[in-house]
Amino acid sequence: QVQLIESGGGLVQAGGSLRLSCAASGRTFSSYTMGWFRQAPGKERELVAATSRSGGNTYYADSVKGRFTISRDNAKNTVYMQMNSLKPEDTAVYYCAARSGLYSGRALSYDFWGQGTQVTVSS
């Protein structure tokens, strides 16, 4: 079992920045692919960014490329997402998720989820 706890969400003006953190329990954090998903009201949950087990490979949705950066610190059992140049359309609940296999863009293939943190970007 892996427990994930997100933090760092909040209200920010368009153009601003936020850094999300996701702390994981357990000793096997480095064996999981980690992803950040988001879900806006009335929309499906979508993958925003993902990182491989070592952190050497990353994936970004086209909508956030060049603005968001995912990283992980396996010594601290934590994955981060730096979000810059935020836009109102980035407003959503952001979830951290862990997958025991290789990278996947499908939410259903992730095994463990955090409770989510709200990000609201005002125009």
Side-chain angles (χ1 to χ4, degrees):
Q1 278 283 9
V2 176
Q3 290 187 326
L4 304 172
I5 301 176
E6 303 99 334
S7 62
L11 173 64
V12 64
Q13 289 188 332
S17 298
L18 285 173
R19 189 194 196 203
L20 303 184
S21 299
C22 172
S25 65
R27 299 182 178 180
T28 59
F29 177 73
S30 61
S31 66
Y32 290 94
T33 294
M34 298 299 298
W36 283 100
F37 288 77
R38 68 185 180 187
Q39 188 166 20
K43 295 188 176 181
E44 291 187 357
R45 192 169 296 190
E46 63 173 351
L47 179 67
V48 177
T51 177
S52 61
R53 288 170 279 194
S54 68
N57 293 299
T58 55
Y59 164 86
Y60 297 95
D62 287 343
S63 59
V64 306
K65 280 181 182 176
R67 300 188 298 122
F68 291 11
T69 303
I70 189 171
S71 61
R72 67 189 296 163
D73 185 337
N74 286 342
K76 295 183 178 180
N77 283 11
T78 303
V79 61
Y80 307 96
M81 187 160 70
Q82 179 67 41
M83 305 187 296
N84 298 329
S85 302
L86 283 161
K87 304 175 181 180
E89 51 262 44
D90 294 318
T91 296
V93 177
Y94 283 72
Y95 298 90
C96 172
R99 167 177 162 75
S100 57
L102 297 177
Y103 163 78
S104 171
R106 297 173 61 245
L108 289 176
S109 67
Y110 283 74
D111 305 301
F112 304 103
W113 292 84
Q115 81 288 352
T117 185
Q118 176 71 47
V119 171
T120 303
V121 184
S122 63
S123 58

